[in-house]
Amino acid sequence: MSPQYWLMKSEPEECSIDTLAALPGQRVPWTGVRNYQARNFMRDLMRVGDGVLFYHSSCAEPGIAGLAEVASEPYPDPTQFDPGSPYFDARSTTERPRWLLRDVALRRKTPLLSLRAMRAAPTLSSLQVLRPGNRLSITPVSPAEWDAVLTLLDR
DNA sequence: GCCAACGTTGGC
DNA sequence: GCCAACGTTGGC
C-alpha cells in the first residue's frame, strides 16, 4: 500500500517539537487522546512509517512545527490506568483497555508553517484541520496535501 | 476571556 | 434511541 499521512495536534506546553527532539530516541507515546475517532485512527488505520505533520495547537503561534512518523504498533495508553493522571479512565481495565496509542518519532524540526500561512495556501484548502469547527486532534492528510506542505516548507 | 462547534452524557 | 444539557477544544 502507498504511504499514508496524518496531522497530529500537540500543545507545546505539553509536548512541543523541541520537547520531542530532546526525548530519548526522539520518540514519544501519543498519550491522552480521549476521542473515539482519533483513537480509531491510531488503533486501526495508522501503519508504522506513516508520515505525521506535528502541529502546535492552543498556543501563541499555532502551526506545523515539524515532520514525524508513526513509530510503533498500537498499544494501551498507560495514562488511562493511572488514577493520578488527568487522562485516567475508570472504565478501562488492563484486560479491556479503551484507549490505544502509537509512538511518534521525529523526522525533523521545520520552520513553523503557521496556521495563517496554511489558511493562505490554496494547495492546503482541503486540509481537514482547517475546516471550521474542527476539533479532532488527529486528522488524515492526503498525499497531495503532504506534498504541498513539503513544498511550502522548502521555500 | 469569549464563543462557536461539536462530542459525550444521561434522563426519558 | 432521542435529544437537551453540558463539557471541551482551540482560534482569536
Side-chain angles (χ1 to χ4, degrees), chain A residues 27 30 38-48 70-78 80 97 99-103:
Chain A
R27 60 193 280 152
W30 208 261
R39 178 206 64 182
N40 292 347
F41 287 148
M42 289 201 284
R43 185 188 64 183
D44 304 330
L45 295 181
M46 285 182 174
R47 285 170 296 133
V48 172
V70 175
S72 79
E73 298 298 330
Y75 64 95
D77 180 342
Q80 71 195 301
W99 306 108
L100 302 189
L101 53 66
R102 303 271 183 154
D103 288 350

Side-chain angles (χ1 to χ4, degrees), chain A residues 17-133:
Chain A
I17 196 77
D18 292 323
T19 311
L20 175 58
L23 289 173
Q26 300 191 325
R27 60 193 280 152
V28 66
W30 208 261
T31 56
V33 169
R34 295 295 179 268
N35 170 284
Y36 289 108
Q37 202 176 344
R39 178 206 64 182
N40 292 347
F41 287 148
M42 289 201 284
R43 185 188 64 183
D44 304 330
L45 295 181
M46 285 182 174
R47 285 170 296 133
V48 172
D50 280 357
V52 171
L53 302 174
F54 191 102
Y55 180 90
H56 285 172
S57 70
S58 293
C59 59
E61 286 196 291
I64 294 166
L67 305 179
E69 65 183 41
V70 175
S72 79
E73 298 298 330
Y75 64 95
D77 180 342
T79 64
Q80 71 195 301
F81 307 123
D82 176 5
S85 166
Y87 303 122
F88 177 67
D89 188 340
R91 301 166 298 184
S92 281
T93 63
T94 48
E95 293 77 20
R96 299 200 60 177
R98 186 169 296 235
W99 306 108
L100 302 189
L101 53 66
R102 303 271 183 154
D103 288 350
V104 171
L106 181 67
R107 281 185 186 167
R108 64 181 171 97
K109 184 179 176 180
T110 64
L112 186 79
L113 182 62
S114 69
L115 177 58
R116 172 185 287 190
M118 292 166 67
R119 290 197 189 284
T123 50
L124 297 184
S125 61
S126 60
L127 262 188
Q128 191 171 331
V129 77
L130 300 182
R131 293 222 274 264

Side-chain angles (χ1 to χ4, degrees), chain A residues 137-153:
Chain A
S137 64
I138 301 175
T139 46
V141 171
S142 75
E145 291 162 346
W146 174 270
D147 289 345
V149 168
L150 294 191
T151 299
L152 290 165
L153 288 172

Side-chain angles (χ1 to χ4, degrees), chain A residues 2-17:
Chain A
S2 53
Q4 300 182 133
Y5 304 99
W6 309 91
L7 182 144
M8 300 176 77
K9 295 180 187 172
S10 184
E11 299 186 14
E13 286 192 14
E14 286 281 318
C15 180
S16 72
I17 196 77

